[in-house]
Amino acid sequence: MTEDQIRKILEDYKNGALSPDDALNRLRALPFEDLGFANVDHHRVIRQGFPEVIFGLGKTVDQVSRIVESMYKNNHNILVTRTTPAHFERLKQIAPEAKFYENARAIVIQKTAEILGKGAVMVVSAGTSDMPIAEEAVATLKVMGNEVDSLYDVGVAGLHRLLDRRERLAKARVLIVVAGMEGALPSVVGGLVSVPVIAVPTSVGYGASFNGVAALLGMLNSCASNVVVVNIDNGYGAAVVASLINRL
Amino acid sequence: MTEDQIRKILEDYKNGALSPDDALNRLRALPFEDLGFANVDHHRVIRQGFPEVIFGLGKTVDQVSRIVESMYKNNHNILVTRTTPAHFERLKQIAPEAKFYENARAIVIQKTAEILGKGAVMVVSAGTSDMPIAEEAVATLKVMGNEVDSLYDVGVAGLHRLLDRRERLAKARVLIVVAGMEGALPSVVGGLVSVPVIAVPTSVGYGASFNGVAALLGMLNSCASNVVVVNIDNGYGAAVVASLINRL
Amino acid sequence: MTEDQIRKILEDYKNGALSPDDALNRLRALPFEDLGFANVDHHRVIRQGFPEVIFGLGKTVDQVSRIVESMYKNNHNILVTRTTPAHFERLKQIAPEAKFYENARAIVIQKTAEILGKGAVMVVSAGTSDMPIAEEAVATLKVMGNEVDSLYDVGVAGLHRLLDRRERLAKARVLIVVAGMEGALPSVVGGLVSVPVIAVPTSVGYGASFNGVAALLGMLNSCASNVVVVNIDNGYGAAVVASLINRL
Amino acid sequence: MTEDQIRKILEDYKNGALSPDDALNRLRALPFEDLGFANVDHHRVIRQGFPEVIFGLGKTVDQVSRIVESMYKNNHNILVTRTTPAHFERLKQIAPEAKFYENARAIVIQKTAEILGKGAVMVVSAGTSDMPIAEEAVATLKVMGNEVDSLYDVGVAGLHRLLDRRERLAKARVLIVVAGMEGALPSVVGGLVSVPVIAVPTSVGYGASFNGVAALLGMLNSCASNVVVVNIDNGYGAAVVASLINRL
Amino acid sequence: MTEDQIRKILEDYKNGALSPDDALNRLRALPFEDLGFANVDHHRVIRQGFPEVIFGLGKTVDQVSRIVESMYKNNHNILVTRTTPAHFERLKQIAPEAKFYENARAIVIQKTAEILGKGAVMVVSAGTSDMPIAEEAVATLKVMGNEVDSLYDVGVAGLHRLLDRRERLAKARVLIVVAGMEGALPSVVGGLVSVPVIAVPTSVGYGASFNGVAALLGMLNSCASNVVVVNIDNGYGAAVVASLINRL
Amino acid sequence: MTEDQIRKILEDYKNGALSPDDALNRLRALPFEDLGFANVDHHRVIRQGFPEVIFGLGKTVDQVSRIVESMYKNNHNILVTRTTPAHFERLKQIAPEAKFYENARAIVIQKTAEILGKGAVMVVSAGTSDMPIAEEAVATLKVMGNEVDSLYDVGVAGLHRLLDRRERLAKARVLIVVAGMEGALPSVVGGLVSVPVIAVPTSVGYGASFNGVAALLGMLNSCASNVVVVNIDNGYGAAVVASLINRL
Amino acid sequence: MTEDQIRKILEDYKNGALSPDDALNRLRALPFEDLGFANVDHHRVIRQGFPEVIFGLGKTVDQVSRIVESMYKNNHNILVTRTTPAHFERLKQIAPEAKFYENARAIVIQKTAEILGKGAVMVVSAGTSDMPIAEEAVATLKVMGNEVDSLYDVGVAGLHRLLDRRERLAKARVLIVVAGMEGALPSVVGGLVSVPVIAVPTSVGYGASFNGVAALLGMLNSCASNVVVVNIDNGYGAAVVASLINRL
Amino acid sequence: MTEDQIRKILEDYKNGALSPDDALNRLRALPFEDLGFANVDHHRVIRQGFPEVIFGLGKTVDQVSRIVESMYKNNHNILVTRTTPAHFERLKQIAPEAKFYENARAIVIQKTAEILGKGAVMVVSAGTSDMPIAEEAVATLKVMGNEVDSLYDVGVAGLHRLLDRRERLAKARVLIVVAGMEGALPSVVGGLVSVPVIAVPTSVGYGASFNGVAALLGMLNSCASNVVVVNIDNGYGAAVVASLINRL
């Protein structure tokens, strides 16, 4: 709650427009809706121009559909991440325009396609198997109003594939680099550009990759100083931060 | 090397301005200086407006001073991180204007104080013991041309200390949040602002903090989606990315 | 065995009420029943006013039902945790009044609803996905005779949801705080109240949450000094300790 | 800030006792004192009857002494944990009544010896080497107004040492059990009593004890359901929670 | 190969009973049978009076049955560990007297019931869920010719269950103690007896038990100095060593 | 791209055989084919005499078949690792000569059987369960043009099985040693030969083998100094390096 | 306390030799001496023929000397492990016959040299750097009344050094095998003998040996089934168990 | 021992040149020298053309000098790794020609400079701080008779530094790549060459580098299939294997 809002409530109260109880209530009022199992936070959307986002993992079809219903009356884009075909079957009934990006495990209900970012975000991924996470990032970036370019299967053991696309890399305002195994790609990309690089380790690999730990550690220890990191397989989170940067 | 540079070399070669060997050499020429134990990369500075930065840890006094000498002829700010009093004693002789920020373990040779960032960067830290890392971030931010605000000792167990400064938080274009122990502060700050938050776990704590691992994991698993993470105690890296964002 | 019991046996023996062998046996007698694969401990219940509790995980339907049969003749509440629908099918035949709390994976056979706690226990959880563990705690608290209040989906990235219910928090005599991911909620709640907070990390999360390790470490390193911790997903254990505290 | 306080400010503002700016300021006013590097939280003490506590680890002599000076004007007990002889030398000059408990690494400035707990807290430790942590708990318990009983060197490999003191165990309202190595003592003690047991793993041990990790895991997995756990070597935290329980 | 065997070959060679090539071959000859995918080691059995043992995990039905066929002609007991019903279906056809111990995941083909151990081996387990591993140990002990006593569900949180059977414990020449969760039982048992205790951690537990790591660490750090440890869930290995000790 | 190629392009450009744009394109031209989700690298094959290799894990049947189609027109051997029966069903339609090595999870399309290695590579494995990884190595070695010898089930607890085949070991130009559990076999083999040993840890084992971590650490810490290590279960990688060494 | 002792107390009480209070006290009496910081357990020695053992690590000179003084009146051997020169300086004054084994970090006060073991214990170690732990085992074995043979620097990369001493190995009744790095030696020795092998991992190594973890895991996963394991660097514990076995 | 040697002993025995006991002894004779604490293995040197190597870490000055004395009579190069100035002071007295490579922590006593490798070995390192390990590799390579080229400070964040030296890379017969932090350099180098790459992770880094674990995991998960790995900081081991390859 901002200072102006407090001042306004104080004034309304002084000139009698608000009773003491009303003033007190206002000072406590919060723009979220309590569904019992979830507090839907409309406030965040209003404040930030975000789509409304539901983390689908571990939620029942009922829970997801009730949250979407609560959101659907507003005029914002809706994004469901880590979702399932079962979720989609139900949501189609609430929102016929819903689209299911199966690789990305994402459902998008797009009500506005307004571009909010000032430039392009580039999504780069190391191997074919990293693509689902890269595509989660792409879907999120689009629903949040960004121009997106993408470049897949450009792992560091075949540098020419990457060096050849250097100009495209140079055009991005911020980059998301997705890699499993040794997670070296963000360091190499970071050395080729002068803008922030958001590294996303993936759980791709086997043996001593430990489901993404090797890639995560590689990225945290990057010798390129323009690299920051998000959680393993968190394409969504990388896209949110890239969007925020791209709107600055 | 850009396309234009290649075209220019090709032309010079065709019209005889370059011999075959010269053309070949040019195609290979690189703007770095080889000191034997280190390749000083003047290129990066030219390209990015960065200060020249030396990672002091594990380098001898001789190595650091020879690198600084190689850099000193250029007109860029110089930053030595993870440095020691012994490094400083020697560097003062090369650059009398050098300043030693002891808490931050940083030496700064400032040749320009030009402001390159478009807004303010805020550095928030959880506990008194996290301050050295917060101060490394502050020193780096300043030498890279940012306005900086800072807020220390506002851990999540005493929320009022943080909520009271909400307006200052709201003014930042990007925030760096430094915390050890459970590393919860970035999540809380992330929920209060609408801009990117760069989380820096510190090795502060004992027992099951495992020298910063607990804080690192906490930050990677942040429920606030505008949080990205750098390595444990990497105040410098956080400041570099914050600077890049602040220049956008 | 208490001193009084030893004195009584000695006296009975001296005045001939007990033979030497009987005295010896009494000194060894223990109020548990040996089923071969399990020693049912009726003693604990008598001593502590506890429900009789069976940890269902890894036990066959036969084993669980035989233990329940051994307990059912006593007049105490019975609780089966980490249970399955198959367990329930069988137990309904032994105890028709048995109830299955599916989310909480708990079966309750309630014979008394006596309130044994002196105040209310509050159960707070961070996300919708943490609810099964929170509900295991609620079911346990109720069967152990506590008044319970609960508050779900109040994660630290949307502090207003929590701050708004501060009064309810303040009324609890002891709190159980359930959280996955970064596990920061107990630290924040701990700073808002003056009573003990029992933190339950959950295995909710992905990637570097390592099935609850991130949350566990976060809670162990809490900067709030009124926080203690139980095992990952151990809603039952938290409820037992909360009950013991609430009876003091 | 409570509802009553908000009502009072609203009233004062309405009847002119407060100007708009003053009302605004009051709504923001917080009972902590900003030393730049630390926000001293007098509020917590007022609210909770706590001593004022300083975590000494990683703080300079100057920082500790300035915080103590800020606290000393109030009439509360002061406790410095993880402190050093150097801290003590300086603090003696501020507070001649300060006492240094060297084993416990604690400094106590006791201004009141009022008993606030309703019963006794028992501190049990497994080995001689665990004593410093046990003594940190004892010192904290005393400065927070508890009666304390203690029992040292009663590890589980010599059960008779523990079983012999069963009556003393039975008298405690809450127990703190301190153990390194395999950390089995809290499970055994937990089975002997009917009240909460707060387990403190210590970093005592070698090899695969991993500085207390073995003990920590042992305690988190205790088969006694009345056991809760704090961080490795956190005798202070255990004592705080025991005090809160003992005041209920 | 022993010295005597070498002397014998040398002699036979000298007196012409062996050609040079034959002598060479004998010096290399080894009593194992090469099945291509497995080298069946009849030697070990001859030397040690062991049953022939097949580790079933990861072996196909074909592989197991071919190994058993190769062994069946000898007159030794055969033991298959970590086996499956599918293995058993096939083995019954080779050896109709084969018995399947389902809980223990063991198949036994018993050709001799000779007692080879000098005393009794006691198998103690902490919880009902630890029983499969305890029973693997029991099955192995029996097939290796030991008298066995067993005691289940005597976890350390209910010490009276264990203390009551102290006399039975005292009769064992060597003990195997099986426990999951915190793995404290071997330390307690170790303190009650004067003979070697072989501790078997089990993967029973959840959360921070990490599939037996907590129990393993607890046992390795046992404060009872007569405790040695085998791998998690390795009831078979514990029984082998107990048998060797019992034959001494 | 080599110096010679650059010189050739420069010359062609100077003498008019290449237009400026063509020269530029050539300088950028790269011998890979972009399938959108994969960049097929024909270059590597040309340069190194490698088979074309596809890592099948996590790739759809469609993706694998499209990559194979792109490769099939060239005259090189094709190898698909970590593949599935579903992959094979489809590939048979493209390449009827394809063979599926089920144990090794490998598909081979062999167009040339030319021997490229100068000697034999020996593959040694510790247990029957390690054979799939050993066979992946063997399949890879053959498709890359090596003579191969193999020796299975020669674990270190039965040294005679290994010592007996010492002469065969001595004939190898390079050895691959595959082992799970404690991973000791490479150290022992390394001490018996004077050539490089490539150690492959497998995920075979249980409990504290941690899916191959124990074997991996054992091999990294080998006291034999002629041992190098690849990732857990990476029979393919070991075979590639062995092939490269064998061609030297 | 044994059954006989209870019977005796009961009888004495009945015939008036004991008053009720005396009987009660006897039933509680325990043969340990409480020094405040340590409970010296004379009972164990009487029962087991053990030397009295003090774990020196983390104990002050005062604590160690007071414990020794309490023990010295008895006629048992005394062993101080993990001790220091400072401990020795003091103990010499109490017991002039004390000897300091510096490599083994052990002090021995030998009052009897009676041989209690029935055969020889062999101590084998892999490298020169493992010798201090091997020597701790040797010192303990001797003070506990065993014949000892030892064999050092016989690591598995030079098998001939071990195979050559096979006869000496074969003579041992039980073996202790000490190894750091990959910890493979116990598996190899285990395959060469038919008696129990107690494996002691040492913290010798660097890098991925992780202070003995690699060796520990190697030993726990030994493919030789006659191997049991103790904690890292626990030469003392191995010797205790070997002594117990050797007395059987 | 080879087959020929066995045949020779058999023959000598048959024709009376050897008594039975002598024959037996010969069959057991081993070319190593037992110093009590170390078995000096002259055999290995004879067999492999290796220098004699002493691992200095954890050995006393006395132990190292006695081993060197035992070796010095032979005419082979001697290498002491992980050594100290104290070792060197003593060794100079035995071998005045000894040289101390301080950065590499290596002492070399060079008696022959014969080139045994068929080509050049290239040592590449990522950062200035990785140089000591790179130099240990260089020193070892030289004493083992290789031509060596080296390239330092060419980390992946500044690719141009590496790409510029591509021709030098291409000339190597085998490469050693040394890197700390994220350990990405071997993957990049591996993609640029067609020969084996031996990756050496270093303990250089901080925070989540975990003393080289991040680099180690990165290298084990390399997407370049011509990369094998040795232990953290094991420059010596990498050089041994490179030498063996270079002699093929």
Side-chain angles (χ1 to χ4, degrees), chain B residues 115-122 145-149 171-174 242-243 245-248:
Chain B
I115 289 295
L116 297 165
K118 296 186 180 162
V121 181
M122 177 129 206
N146 297 279
E147 276 179 58
V148 185
D149 187 15
K171 283 178 187 154
R173 218 167 166 247
V174 52
S243 297
I245 294 174
N246 196 24
R247 289 178 192 182
L248 286 177

Side-chain angles (χ1 to χ4, degrees), chain F residues 156-157 159 163 181-182 184 187-188 191-192 206 208-210 213-214 217-218 220-224, chain G residues 156-157 159 163 181-182 184 187-188 191-192 206 208-210 213-214 217-218 220-224:
Chain F
V156 299
L159 271 186
L163 297 177
M181 301 179 78
E182 82 267 64
S187 294
V188 170
L192 298 174
Y206 61 92
S209 81
F210 301 126
V213 169
L217 295 184
L220 286 169
N221 287 286
S222 177
C223 54
Chain G
V156 300
L159 272 186
L163 297 177
M181 301 179 80
E182 80 268 64
S187 294
V188 170
L192 297 175
Y206 61 92
S209 81
F210 301 127
V213 170
L217 294 183
L220 286 169
N221 288 284
S222 177
C223 53

Side-chain angles (χ1 to χ4, degrees), chain E residues 57-200:
Chain E
L57 190 71
K59 292 213 177 67
T60 64
V61 169
D62 257 20
Q63 290 176 330
V64 169
S65 69
R66 285 180 57 199
I67 299 174
V68 167
E69 276 171 334
S70 149
M71 289 173 166
Y72 195 61
K73 36 196 179 209
N74 299 312
N75 220 28
H76 297 97
N77 293 337
I78 297 174
L79 171 67
V80 192
T81 63
R82 307 263 162 150
T83 189
T84 64
H87 286 159
F88 182 58
E89 282 316 303
R90 179 75 68 83
L91 293 190
K92 266 195 310 194
Q93 295 163 15
I94 301 169
E97 74 272 36
K99 275 191 194 149
F100 187 25
Y101 297 87
E102 203 158 354
N103 272 352
R105 290 176 301 168
I107 297 168
V108 171
I109 304 174
Q110 186 121 14
K111 295 190 173 170
T112 162
E114 194 190 351
I115 289 296
L116 299 165
K118 297 186 179 161
V121 181
M122 177 132 207
V123 178
V124 184
S125 80
T128 301
S129 315
D130 300 313
M131 279 176 60
I133 302 305
E135 290 182 354
E136 186 190 57
V138 168
T140 304
L141 285 167
K142 287 185 176 161
V143 83
M144 291 185 76
N146 296 280
E147 274 180 63
V148 185
D149 185 16
S150 64
L151 189 52
Y152 297 154
D153 195 25
V154 292
V156 299
L159 272 185
H160 48 295
R161 297 178 297 190
L162 187 68
L163 297 178
D164 244 47
R165 278 77 167 243
R166 230 162 143 167
E167 275 167 83
R168 279 167 67 194
L169 294 175
K171 285 177 188 154
R173 216 164 168 250
V174 52
L175 294 99
I176 291 172
V177 182
V178 180
M181 303 179 79
E182 81 267 64
L185 189 57
S187 294
V188 170
V189 171
L192 297 175
V193 302
S194 314
V195 294
V197 170
I198 303 172
V200 188

Side-chain angles (χ1 to χ4, degrees), chain B residues 156-157 159 163 181-182 184 187-188 191 206 208-210 214 217-218 221-224, chain C residues 156-157 159 163 181-182 184 187-188 191 206 208-210 214 217-218 221-224:
Chain B
V156 300
L159 271 185
L163 297 177
M181 301 178 81
E182 82 266 65
S187 294
V188 170
Y206 61 91
S209 81
F210 301 127
L217 294 184
N221 287 285
S222 176
C223 54
Chain C
V156 300
L159 271 186
L163 297 176
M181 303 179 80
E182 82 267 63
S187 295
V188 170
Y206 61 93
S209 82
F210 300 127
L217 294 184
N221 288 284
S222 176
C223 54

Side-chain angles (χ1 to χ4, degrees), chain D residues 74-134:
Chain D
N74 298 312
N75 221 28
H76 298 96
N77 293 338
I78 296 174
L79 171 66
V80 192
T81 63
R82 309 265 161 149
T83 189
T84 62
H87 285 159
F88 182 58
E89 283 317 302
R90 178 75 68 84
L91 292 192
K92 267 195 309 195
Q93 294 163 15
I94 300 169
E97 74 272 36
K99 277 189 195 151
F100 187 25
Y101 296 88
E102 205 157 353
N103 273 352
R105 289 177 301 169
I107 298 169
V108 172
I109 304 174
Q110 185 120 15
K111 295 191 172 169
T112 161
E114 193 189 352
I115 289 296
L116 298 165
K118 296 185 181 164
V121 181
M122 177 132 205
V123 178
V124 184
S125 81
T128 302
S129 315
D130 300 312
M131 277 177 58
I133 303 304

